[in-house]
Amino acid sequence: MNTRFPRSLLSLSILSALMLPTLAMAQDGNAGTTAQQAPADQNPSSQDATNLDTVVVTALRQSLQTAQAIKQDADMVVDSIVAEDIGKLPDNSVADALQRVTGVQIAQGGQGETTSVVIRGLPNVISTLNGREIFSGSGRGYAFQNLPATAVKTLRVYKSSEASLPLGGIAGLVDIELRRPFDFDGAEVAGTLTGTHSEYGGKVDPNASLLLSNRWDTDAGEFGALVNFGYLGKHYAYDAVWGDFPKIVNSGGTTPPIRTAEGNLIAAPNGWGTAYNQGDRKRGAFNYALQWKPNDRTEVYLEGLYDWVRDDFDQAFYFSFPNGAIAPSQLNVGNHCYPNQMDGPLAGQTVCDATSGTWTGNSYAATSTQAHEQRGQDIQNALGVKWDGDQLHLSTEFTRTSGYYRDENFIIDTFLSGPITTVWEGTSGSHQNWYLAGDPALDPSRFYLNGLFQTWAHSRGEENSWRGDGRFEFLDGPIASIQFGLRYADRTASAKGSVEISTPPPGGAGDTANPNPDNQVVGLFPASSFFCSKRDNAALHQKFLVPCYDYLIDNADALRAFYGLPAGLAPENPGRFFDIGERKAAGYLQAKYDFELFGLPVDGLVGVRVEKVKRDLSAFSFDASTSVYSPITRQTDDTNTLPNASMNLHFSDEWQLRLIAAKTISYPDFGALNPSISLNPGTINRPGIASSGNPDLMPIESMNYDASLEWYFSPVGYASAGVFYRDIDGYIQTYVTNVTIGGAPYELSLPQSAGTGHLQGVELAYQQTFDFLPGAWSGLGAQLNYTYIDGSTRSPDLIGGPVISRPLQNVSKNNYNAVLFYENQGLSARLAYGYRSRYIDFFTQSTVSGNEDQVEPASSLDFSVSYDVTPQTTLVFSATNLLGNNLHQFWGDGDTRPRDIRFQDKTLALGLRFKL
C-alpha cells in the first residue's frame, strides 16, 4: 500500500478499535512477546502506536501477518509463505511448501517426491532466487525439490507480471528468498535435526540444517556473514501397477476380432505390468551471504547457493503381454461401450470394455531392473551493490549460474519360459488387478536372459548475467516514482546421450516357448546374488524376482563382456545432442503512480519491457532413408515487447480492488528445440520409442488479465476473491503419434505450438486467527483457499489431424487447500488438506478410447505439531499423507480403463529445532 497517503495512523486507530474486545482475553495468562511488528516503511509514531497492542504475536502468527502484509502491499497479485522462525516451514522441500499457496498445484514424480509445480494449471513458471533467475541443468526453470525448506525465509508467488520482473513464465514467477546476516540483530545459531520414517521405504532417514550468522560494527562500516547448511536423506519406494493401452481383443496375430453376442468389439489392455522405484536419495544444500554497509546509503553483498543430489535407485519391471498374442481362455465384458476411436476398417464401430479375463499360452512375460545412478548440482553466485539517495536508488549485480545433471542406467531383461497364464481380475479400486498363475516369477529356473540395454544422458547449463536497476522517487505529483533497468544474459544449454539399443544375449534369446538353454540365468550366475525379490501390493497379488541393483552395478563390465560389448558406457548418439547459445538483452521503464479518484486513493504501475533474444543451435539432423546423422546449425533472432498496467483502488485501509493487464511470454524449453530424432528400437512387446524437438517452436504468448477484491479485517485476517483470464497463443503441447522409421514402427513424441487458447478462473482465499475465542481456544486459526480453472486450446487432435478445441494439459478445474492451525503457550500445530481434481497429463498415441492420458492426483492430509521445551529448543513431529491416498491414471475419460495406480508414501518425522 502506498505510504504517501496519510493512512498509517488511521489504520492503526481502526485496528486498535477492532482489537479492543480481545485485548482482555489476550492479556489473561499470556506471557511472552507482545508488539505487532510494523512494516519497515512506517514512521516511528506508527511503530510506537503498534506497541500499545498487547495481543501476543507468536512465530506462526508473525509469519502469517508478514505474508498478509506482502499480499496487501504488493503492486501485483502476490501470495507468499513466510518462515519468521528459522527452519519453521513444516515441509521438507521448497516444492512441497509451494502446495500451500493459493492457485498452486503440485504432483509427485516416479521417485516419490514433488517434481511438478504449476500455477493456475500452467507449468510455464519462471524461478528466481533472491530476485535473480535460477535454473537447473539445461532447463529453463529451477527444480524446487533441490532446495530444503529449512533454507527459506520467504516464498513469493507472482501470478501477474510487471516490467521489472524477468520474462519467461506465462503462468507466473516463484521467488525464493534466503536469509541474510542483516536480517538478524546480531549473532544467530540455529538448526534442525529430524528423523523421518517412510512407510514404503522402511527406514529412518536423517534430515538436518545448521545456520550460523553474525554482524559486526567496525571503523570500515558494518559487516555481516551467514552460512547455512541443509541435508535431506530418504530411502524411498514408489510402486506403480499399470495396464497398457486398450486394444481390440482377438485370438492372436491377425485373426478377426472377438465380438460380444450383440456383435460389439471388445477392448482390454494390451498387457499388465509394474514399475517399482526403490532407492536411496541424498540432497544437500549450502548457501552463504556476506554484506557490507560502509555507510547508511551503500551496501555491497556477495551471496551464493550450492545444492546437489545423489540418487541411486532401481526401477523394477514385471509384465505380461498376452492380448493380441494368444486367445483369451476366459473373458468378461461390461456395459461401458463407446465408438471405436481408431482409424481403419473398424473405426466407429461400438467397442465395449472387458472387465476381467484369463490368457494361457506362450505369451511374453518378463522382469527387468533399470539400475539408475543420478547425479546433479546447481550453483549460483552473485555480487551486487545497492545505493540509496534521497530520491534516487540504484543497484547493480553480476551473477554466475551453472548446473549439470546426469543419469546413467544399466538394464538386463529376463523373460519367463512358457506356458504362462495371465489372470486379470479387473479394475476394482480404480486400478488394474493382475497376477501370473502358479507364481512362475518366483522360480529362478524359469528365467532366461534377454536384452542388455544401457543408456546415459548428461545435461548442462551455464549463464553469466548482469543487471542494473534504478528508481527515482518524486516528492509530489501523481507520479510516485520512475523505475528503470537493463539486463544482459549469456546462456548456454547443452545435452548429450547414448545410443539406445537392446543387445541380445550370446546365441540369441529364443522365445517363451523355446528359450535358449545356454542363457538360463541359474546356469550362468548365482541365483542368490543375481535375483532380488519384490513385494506384492493391493494391485499386484504376488511377489516376483528381478535382477538385483547391486549385482548389476558391481558387475556391469563383466556383464557387458558376456554380451560381447566393450567396457564402459555406451557410445554417444548424435540424435540426443544439442548445444544452444542464447543471449538476451532487456530493458524496462515503468512508472508507479498514485492520486485520488473521487476521493479514493489509487495507485498502480504502467510500464513496458523489451527483450531481444539471439539463439544459436547446433545439433544433428536424421535422414530416415539412410539412417545417417548430419550436423546442422540454426540461428534465430527475436524481439518481444511486453506492456503492463495495473490499478489498485483503496476504498479504505481494509478494502482494495486490483485491476491488472500484462502481456507475458514463455520461451520453449531448450530440449524442445532440438530438431534431431532419438531412436529407441522396439522390443518383442512394444514398438520403438522416438523423440524429437521442433526448432520452429515460437514463444508462447499470453495476454493476462486479473482482478482481485481484498478485505483485510485484522493483522492476521483477510478474505479475497479474484478472477483471471489468459488469452494464450502458441501453447506448446507434446503429441505421441505412430510412425514408421527405417521400416520399423515407432511411437514418436513431438512438441507442437498448438494454436490459440484461453484459461480463466476464480480464486477465493480466507485467513483468520480466532483471537476472540476464550482462553486456550484463542490460539486457533484457519486458512482456506479455492481455485477454479477452465481452459482450452484450438489444436490438432493429433499431428496432421483436424484442428479441434480441447482442454489444456495440466489444468485441474477444482483445487483447494484447508488448513487448521493452533499456536498458544509454546504449542504449535497444523492440519492441512490439499486437493486437486482430475486433469489431462499428456496426449498419447491413438487408442480405442482416444488419445488423452488423464490423471486423478492424490489428495493429501498432513499434520505437524511442535512444542517449545525451552526458549531455545523445540520438539517437532510431522506426518504426511495420513489418509494414504494414491494417484490414479486413466486411458481417456471415465474410470473403466485405469492406466496405473501409484502408491504414494506416508511419512512420520520426529525432530528437534534449536536456536542459540
Side-chain angles (χ1 to χ4, degrees):
M1 189 179 296
N2 193 324
T3 57
R4 294 178 67 206
F5 291 107
R7 296 195 296 270
S8 298
L9 291 176
L10 175 60
S11 62
L12 288 169
S13 300
I14 296 173
L15 177 60
S16 299
L18 289 172
M19 296 305 294
L20 281 175
T22 61
L23 185 58
M25 285 186 288
Q27 290 173 323
D28 289 341
N30 284 330
T33 318
T34 63
Q36 307 250 0
Q37 182 176 339
D41 58 356
Q42 289 188 340
N43 57 43
S45 63
S46 298
Q47 295 174 1
D48 291 340
T50 304
N51 289 333
L52 297 176
D53 189 341
T54 56
V55 172
V56 174
V57 179
T58 59
L60 176 59
R61 279 169 165 75
Q62 185 63 68
S63 65
L64 296 176
Q65 180 178 340
T66 303
Q68 179 172 310
I70 291 172
K71 178 180 179 72
Q72 184 177 8
D73 296 342
D75 294 309
M76 298 286 104
V77 178
V78 180
D79 285 294
S80 61
I81 300 173
V82 176
E84 285 294 334
D85 215 357
I86 300 168
K88 184 73 174 182
L89 288 180
D91 299 291
N92 286 329
S93 71
V94 169
D96 291 325
L98 284 168
Q99 68 182 304
R100 314 299 174 193
V101 178
T102 306
V104 175
Q105 298 88 43
I106 66 169
Q108 282 194 3
Q111 288 152 263
E113 65 176 348
T114 300
T115 56
S116 170
V117 175
V118 298
I119 299 177
R120 293 171 171 173
L122 295 176
N124 316 95
V125 178
I126 193 169
S127 42
T128 59
L129 180 72
N130 292 336
R132 55 186 170 268
E133 288 185 73
I134 187 170
F135 54 84
S136 295
S138 62
R140 290 203 179 271
Y142 180 63
F144 295 114
Q145 67 270 23
N146 286 358
L147 186 62
T150 51
V152 173
K153 177 183 178 183
T154 304
L155 292 175
R156 288 182 174 88
V157 178
Y158 293 81
K159 303 172 189 175
S160 57
S161 187
E162 45 100 340
S164 67
L165 297 177
L167 298 183
I170 65 168
L173 181 147
V174 175
D175 180 56
I176 306 167
E177 183 181 358
L178 306 183
R179 299 183 185 276
R180 295 179 170 119
F182 287 175
D183 293 338
F184 307 105
D185 293 331
E188 196 77 28
V189 178
T192 63
L193 180 61
T194 304
T196 301
H197 178 267
S198 302
E199 178 184 17
Y200 295 141
K203 295 188 178 182
V204 176
D205 295 298
N207 299 329
S209 68
L210 177 65
L211 179 144
L212 306 172
S213 180
N214 206 351
R215 56 193 296 177
W216 305 269
D217 283 318
T218 71
D219 293 339
E222 188 172 12
F223 289 88
L226 176 149
V227 291
N228 185 50
F229 305 87
Y231 173 83
L232 293 175
K234 187 174 183 180
H235 287 83
Y236 61 90
Y238 191 79
D239 297 355
V241 178
W242 46 265
D244 206 36
F245 65 89
K247 65 184 291 185
I248 300 300
V249 179
N250 62 16
S251 297
T254 59
T255 61
I258 298 174
R259 296 182 181 268
T260 67
E262 294 78 18
N264 295 325
L265 302 170
I266 303 171
N270 181 49
W272 296 267
T274 66
Y276 288 5
N277 286 347
Q278 183 173 345
D280 178 12
R281 179 173 57 247
K282 300 177 179 67
R283 292 191 183 276
F286 165 74
N287 65 281
Y288 72 92
L290 303 174
Q291 290 178 285
W292 172 40
K293 294 187 72 172
N295 53 59
D296 291 339
R297 294 182 179 271
T298 307
E299 177 186 335
V300 181
Y301 61 88
L302 176 67
E303 60 186 4
L305 169 70
Y306 169 73
D307 67 58
W308 56 268
V309 61
R310 306 288 185 267
D311 197 352
D312 298 319
F313 73 98
D314 66 87
Q315 188 173 34
F317 284 90
Y318 173 35
F319 51 84
S320 177
F321 287 88
N323 190 7
I326 56 178
S329 56
Q330 180 268 329
L331 192 66
N332 295 314
V333 182
N335 56 9
H336 184 260
C337 304
Y338 47 90
N340 179 18
Q341 303 289 305
M342 290 289 290
D343 293 332
L346 303 179
Q349 294 187 27
T350 299
V351 56
C352 299
D353 288 328
T355 58
S356 63
T358 301
W359 287 259
T360 298
N362 287 309
S363 61
Y364 186 73
T367 72
S368 70
T369 293
Q370 298 191 7
H372 288 267
E373 293 181 295
Q374 296 182 342
R375 305 290 185 264
Q377 69 178 30
D378 305 311
I379 302 175
Q380 186 177 83
N381 292 285
L383 174 64
V385 180
K386 298 178 182 178
W387 180 82
D388 293 305
D390 293 332
Q391 294 175 258
L392 181 62
H393 307 267
L394 299 174
S395 65
T396 187
E397 185 177 79
F398 295 89
T399 304
R400 164 76 175 176
T401 306
S402 64
Y404 79 85
Y405 187 79
R406 76 171 191 264
D407 178 14
E408 297 175 1
N409 186 8
F410 187 82
I411 307 167
I412 286 186
D413 293 329
T414 54
F415 70 93
L416 294 166
S417 60
I420 299 293
T421 297
T422 303
V423 180
W424 174 41
E425 297 179 307
T427 60
S428 174
S430 293
H431 55 72
Q432 301 289 347
N433 300 277
W434 75 282
Y435 64 94
L436 298 188
D439 287 330
L442 287 177
D443 182 356
S445 67
R446 296 284 297 270
F447 285 90
Y448 291 79
L449 292 180
N450 205 337
L452 182 151
F453 187 91
Q454 53 183 339
T455 180
W456 55 265
H458 297 179
S459 66
R460 181 176 297 275
E462 297 179 348
E463 182 181 85
N464 296 311
S465 65
W466 168 84
R467 72 179 189 188
D469 299 274
R471 185 179 79 255
F472 184 83
E473 298 176 343
F474 295 92
L475 299 179
D476 52 35
I479 304 301
S481 64
I482 294 291
Q483 304 168 10
F484 52 90
L486 297 172
R487 183 180 187 272
Y488 179 79
D490 190 348
R491 171 87 188 269
T492 60
S494 61
K496 58 184 180 179
S498 68
V499 294
E500 296 177 304
I501 297 176
S502 182
T503 302
D511 55 35
T512 303
N514 298 290
N516 184 343
D518 293 335
N519 289 319
Q520 187 180 29
V521 172
V522 295
L524 297 169
F525 312 110
S528 59
S529 300
F530 185 86
F531 284 118
C532 287
S533 178
K534 295 296 181 179
R535 63 177 172 269
D536 55 358
N537 53 44
L540 176 65
H541 304 160
Q542 63 185 174
K543 298 178 181 179
F544 59 97
L545 299 178
V546 295
C548 293
Y549 176 89
D550 289 340
Y551 191 89
L552 296 181
I553 293 297
D554 295 341
N555 299 279
D557 278 342
L559 291 168
R560 290 183 179 107
F562 177 81
Y563 275 81
L565 297 172
L569 298 179
E572 185 174 342
N573 176 10
R576 301 178 67 188
F577 168 85
F578 69 80
D579 189 352
I580 299 176
E582 185 178 78
R583 295 171 300 283
K584 295 192 292 188
Y588 73 91
L589 181 64
Q590 184 165 252
K592 181 176 178 63
Y593 65 87
D594 62 51
F595 56 86
E596 289 194 357
L597 181 65
F598 305 117
L600 297 177
V602 176
D603 59 65
L605 300 172
V606 176
V608 64
R609 185 181 186 95
V610 179
E611 185 160 285
K612 187 176 183 63
V613 182
K614 291 186 176 181
R615 195 175 295 129
D616 299 309
L617 165 69
S618 296
F620 288 86
S621 65
F622 179 73
D623 188 333
S625 63
T626 61
S627 299
V628 172
Y629 288 96
S630 302
I632 60 169
T633 59
R634 185 83 173 264
Q635 291 81 36
T636 60
D637 191 334
D638 192 22
T639 301
N640 299 290
T641 301
L642 301 156
N644 66 279
S646 65
M647 181 180 73
N648 301 326
L649 179 62
H650 304 277
F651 301 108
S652 68
D653 287 313
E654 296 177 349
W655 287 90
Q656 64 187 38
L657 173 67
R658 300 182 192 273
L659 300 172
I660 302 169
K663 183 180 180 182
T664 61
I665 65 169
S666 285
Y667 295 113
D669 289 336
F670 290 108
L673 295 168
N674 182 13
S676 190
I677 295 179
S678 172
L679 300 176
N680 181 354
T683 63
I684 189 173
N685 61 287
R686 61 161 177 80
I689 297 174
S691 61
S692 178
N694 182 352
D696 296 320
L697 294 176
M698 299 298 293
I700 307 170
E701 296 185 355
S702 177
M703 279 301 305
N704 296 358
Y705 305 94
D706 291 85
S708 177
L709 181 63
E710 301 161 5
W711 176 33
Y712 299 92
F713 51 82
S714 74
V716 190
Y718 78 89
S720 66
V723 295
F724 56 89
Y725 184 86
R726 305 287 182 260
D727 189 1
I728 303 170
D729 186 28
Y731 190 67
I732 297 173
Q733 298 187 148
T734 298
Y735 295 83
V736 178
T737 186
N738 295 315
V739 297
T740 299
I741 300 176
Y746 283 86
E747 294 175 356
L748 172 65
S749 297
L750 186 68
Q752 295 286 308
S753 295
T756 61
H758 77 280
L759 184 140
Q760 60 192 8
V762 176
E763 281 186 348
L764 305 175
Y766 160 78
Q767 171 180 287
Q768 186 174 11
T769 53
F770 304 139
D771 303 308
F772 52 83
L773 294 175
W777 293 104
S778 63
L780 281 171
Q783 292 175 294
L784 305 172
N785 62 67
Y786 169 77
T787 306
Y788 173 82
I789 312 172
D790 182 39
S792 66
T793 182
R794 289 193 57 78
S795 59
D797 180 46
L798 47 87
I799 294 178
V803 174
I804 63 172
S805 179
R806 66 189 313 163
L808 287 169
Q809 292 175 233
N810 301 297
V811 174
S812 295
K813 283 194 173 184
N814 296 288
N815 313 266
Y816 62 83
N817 289 286
V819 180
L820 182 66
F821 59 85
Y822 181 86
E823 193 162 50
N824 195 13
Q825 298 295 325
L827 179 66
S828 179
R830 186 196 69 157
L831 185 67
Y833 181 79
Y835 172 83
R836 179 184 181 187
S837 65
R838 190 161 166 157
Y839 63 91
I840 295 175
D841 189 30
F842 60 93
F843 298 106
T844 71
Q845 74 276 17
S846 295
T847 71
V848 295
S849 60
N851 68 338
E852 291 182 3
D853 184 289
Q854 298 190 9
V855 167
E856 186 175 303
S859 56
S860 179
L861 180 65
D862 303 331
F863 175 72
S864 63
V865 61
S866 64
Y867 180 71
D868 297 333
V869 180
T870 71
Q872 290 78 36
T873 58
T874 301
L875 286 176
V876 180
F877 171 80
S878 64
T880 65
N881 195 18
L882 290 172
L883 301 178
N885 290 331
N886 300 308
L887 181 146
H888 296 265
Q889 194 166 9
F890 299 87
W891 296 96
D893 58 5
D895 57 6
T896 62
R897 296 173 300 270
R899 177 169 180 147
D900 58 59
I901 179 174
R902 305 178 196 175
F903 293 92
Q904 302 201 161
D905 217 341
K906 295 180 182 178
T907 65
L908 299 175
L910 181 64
L912 176 71
R913 190 168 63 238
F914 64 88
K915 189 176 181 181
L916 306 179

